[in-house]
Amino acid sequence: MDPEIEKDLKSLTKSLHAINLSLRNRLLSILKDAKYVKEVKQKFPDYPLIPNDRCGRWYVDPIEYDGKWMPSYFKSTDGHTNEWSFSTRRLNLHILKQVRETKGILIVDSTRRGKKIPDSFSKTIPIWIAIMNKYIAPDKSYDELLFTPDDTVSNYERDRILERLPHFQSEMNKYKDLVIDNVVDPNENGLLRPYWVYPGCRRLEIEQGCLPVILVSASQRSLDGENKMEGYTYVQGAGDDHELWGRGLTSQMFWGNINEFSDIYRINDEEVDEMVSKIVKGDQNSVEVETFNEVFKAIVEISPTLHFGKVDKNLTVGEINANYDTMVILDSTFKLIEPSKKVHIFPLDSGSKKSAKELRTYLPQIIPLIKGRTLVACNDGEDMSVAVVLSYMNIHTPRSERSKETIRRSLISLLQYRKVNPQRATLTSVNSFLL
């Protein structure tokens, strides 16, 4: 083929691919998948519906879980073929509490590349369930405790995973004293059992006496650009990696403006882009709030004197009337109208790699501020605030007795209270400060 023609064809293919993955196509695909998730929820009205962070948040209306249940965090990378892993950073102990309380749970995620089920569902969660089940039923073999979808995980791959489970269990056993009360409930001896739901699957038959963990894969299996819907091209797993396509739009903004987005099939690509730009710009405007509950959310008490939680971005706050001697706020957008000696603000943002690296220079300033009854808050309540809490929990231990292992134990102890998820770079800064 003529090199110039080949070059033009590649350019055309790239342009068509970009058009198929347009913002409008993605958002319409998400709306379609979210409708499917709602239909699944209606079949299991008694079970809570939660997203698996982060992609799953695009498919679940926050009204289903916000303030009631916490999302899960299982990574697909822990289930990739030949890379199977069990993360003690992502123990998801809060899921055990939620499953036991409601006798079942629905977890939502999605995947790209023509798969029916994401690796987080086909392997990561089954590995996690097998490890937890071993504590519940120690006399059972791993073969009896590992459940994988037959049409997704081959017998060969399942056998390789089985070979690794004893090692994963030994890693978990290092922290058994911290987690066993969360894993084993003397009043509930039912085993966790995964079930898989996806568009076009057969009707579920749930085994009696188990605690069902129903894994809802929201997206329809398809190849990019091939599934033409009425008025748009469907994108499987459209919510994945939103930083690359969302133009600043987040799942929180999406659901906060769901009435506007529900009508986007009536408008074209350029109009959708313009609408999203306005929403993103409006979200960046500072919001004035007055009450403590408007400022701080999801507060967890570690001890009578140390609490941590979440503060929304872009807040402008008057006087904060709260029963705290010290408040440490880690947020570059937070503004205080009237300065207060007990409120200390640092320009650090959760989820930011830059902030994670800068944290090590701020920790020597922050830790001495923690005196009396203290609240530490960051953008998501899971990253920067957790780093400060971990540092404070370990700073009084003699340096010779500190290690990455002692810091990891502190992190796992926090997982008993709620889902926390500090970045790897954030933990590196904590280690640098403490060790």
Side-chain angles (χ1 to χ4, degrees):
M1 181 183 293
D2 185 286
E4 286 299 317
I5 295 176
E6 186 176 9
K7 183 180 178 181
D8 289 343
L9 283 174
K10 286 183 178 179
S11 178
L12 178 61
T13 300
K14 187 175 181 180
S15 297
L16 288 172
H17 183 71
I19 292 170
N20 289 333
L21 299 180
S22 71
L23 188 55
R24 179 177 180 273
N25 283 338
R26 284 185 179 275
L27 294 174
L28 284 168
S29 301
I30 289 170
L31 287 167
K32 178 182 184 300
D33 295 344
K35 181 181 178 183
Y36 170 73
V37 170
K38 278 189 176 182
E39 291 170 356
V40 174
K41 167 61 177 172
Q42 290 170 0
K43 296 175 182 178
F44 303 94
D46 297 330
Y47 296 163
L49 176 68
I50 64 168
N52 186 44
D53 268 343
R54 295 175 307 158
C55 179
R57 287 183 184 260
W58 287 92
Y59 304 99
V60 183
D61 189 336
I63 198 170
E64 292 284 355
Y65 62 91
D66 211 13
K68 297 180 290 185
W69 312 104
M70 297 195 67
S72 62
Y73 187 52
F74 294 100
K75 291 189 71 172
S76 282
T77 50
D78 291 335
H80 286 176
T81 302
N82 295 324
E83 301 294 334
W84 312 290
S85 183
F86 176 80
S87 174
T88 53
R89 280 179 54 209
R90 296 181 284 275
L91 287 179
N92 288 279
L93 297 178
H94 62 287
I95 299 297
L96 293 171
K97 294 180 182 178
Q98 292 173 189
V99 172
R100 289 204 176 99
E101 184 175 336
T102 56
K103 305 303 180 186
I105 198 166
L106 297 156
I107 303 179
V108 178
D109 205 347
S110 184
T111 187
R112 300 176 295 174
R113 303 187 189 92
K115 291 182 178 179
K116 282 191 300 187
I117 302 170
D119 287 345
S120 59
F121 280 2
S122 62
K123 287 167 280 189
T124 305
I125 292 180
I127 288 171
W128 176 82
I129 284 177
I131 298 300
M132 298 303 166
N133 277 343
K134 190 65 173 176
Y135 290 117
I136 299 169
D139 294 334
K140 288 186 176 289
S141 68
Y142 286 117
D143 189 47
E144 297 174 281
L145 302 175
L146 177 65
F147 304 95
T148 54
D150 294 338
D151 56 353
T152 302
V153 179
S154 68
N155 289 334
Y156 174 82
E157 188 172 12
R158 186 177 186 278
D159 288 343
R160 300 292 78 74
I161 294 172
L162 282 170
E163 290 173 358
R164 297 196 185 189
L165 290 182
H167 171 69
F168 297 156
Q169 198 83 47
S170 67
E171 288 298 303
M172 178 71 166
N173 285 340
K174 294 177 183 177
Y175 313 103
K176 183 177 178 180
D177 59 311
L178 296 174
V179 304
I180 194 65
D181 288 343
N182 294 87
V183 178
V184 178
D185 183 344
N187 300 315
E188 174 61 74
N189 59 5
L191 291 179
L192 298 166
R193 175 74 161 83
Y195 292 91
W196 298 271
V197 176
Y198 50 87
C201 70
R202 291 178 295 179
R203 183 176 179 178
L204 279 189
E205 293 185 9
I206 295 178
E207 182 182 305
Q208 290 292 320
C210 74
L211 294 172
V213 179
I214 300 174
L215 306 173
V216 184
S217 186
S219 294
Q220 180 179 321
R221 186 178 185 178
S222 66
L223 296 176
D224 290 343
E226 290 194 2
N227 201 342
K228 306 293 183 183
M229 298 289 175
E230 187 175 342
Y232 71 100
T233 301
Y234 179 76
V235 181
Q236 181 181 355
D240 202 15
D241 292 333
H242 68 270
E243 296 90 349
L244 301 179
W245 58 265
R247 306 185 187 189
L249 185 72
T250 65
S251 59
Q252 185 178 10
M253 294 180 211
F254 173 72
W255 285 105
N257 296 274
I258 192 62
N259 289 335
E260 292 180 61
F261 282 116
S262 295
D263 282 335
I264 63 171
Y265 69 92
R266 301 175 185 273
I267 59 179
N268 61 33
D269 285 346
E270 290 75 18
E271 291 170 317
V272 170
D273 293 347
E274 184 179 344
M275 184 178 79
V276 168
S277 294
K278 288 181 180 178
I279 289 172
V280 171
K281 186 176 180 180
D283 188 76
Q284 292 170 348
N285 293 334
S286 186
V287 178
E288 290 195 21
V289 294
E290 297 179 358
T291 68
F292 178 82
N293 289 336
E294 287 181 293
V295 181
F296 301 105
K297 300 173 183 177
I299 295 175
V300 173
E301 179 180 331
I302 302 303
S303 70
T305 58
L306 183 61
H307 299 189
F308 76 97
K310 174 183 175 181
V311 59
D312 285 338
K313 292 180 72 67
N314 301 305
L315 295 185
T316 298
V317 183
E319 183 180 359
I320 302 177
N321 295 313
N323 188 25
Y324 287 101
D325 302 303
T326 305
M327 283 181 277
V328 176
I329 299 172
L330 311 165
D331 176 16
S332 64
T333 66
F334 188 90
K335 296 175 184 176
L336 197 61
I337 296 174
E338 296 292 334
S340 171
K341 290 183 178 180
K342 68 179 183 179
V343 180
H344 307 275
I345 305 168
F346 295 88
L348 296 168
D349 296 309
S350 289
S352 163
K353 287 185 170 61
K354 180 183 176 185
S355 290
K357 291 178 181 177
E358 292 177 344
L359 176 66
R360 68 186 67 188
T361 64
Y362 282 104
L363 282 172
Q365 303 171 46
I366 295 172
I367 298 304
L369 296 173
I370 301 178
K371 296 175 182 177
R373 195 165 186 264
T374 299
L375 172 64
V376 183
C378 67
N379 305 139
D380 62 5
E382 298 181 11
D383 187 20
M384 290 290 131
S385 59
V386 172
V388 171
V389 170
L390 287 175
S391 300
Y392 184 78
M393 291 171 72
N394 287 273
I395 196 66
H396 301 296
T397 302
R399 186 175 289 271
S400 61
E401 297 178 19
R402 297 179 210 158
S403 66
K404 289 183 179 179
E405 187 72 15
T406 60
I407 297 169
R408 176 60 61 91
R409 287 181 65 83
S410 297
L411 176 61
I412 289 174
S413 71
L414 294 182
L415 289 169
Q416 299 178 66
Y417 297 98
R418 56 165 290 171
K419 169 181 168 282
V420 297
N421 181 35
Q423 300 175 79
R424 187 179 298 275
T426 300
L427 291 176
T428 298
S429 287
V430 172
N431 292 341
S432 175
F433 171 67
L434 290 171
L435 303 179

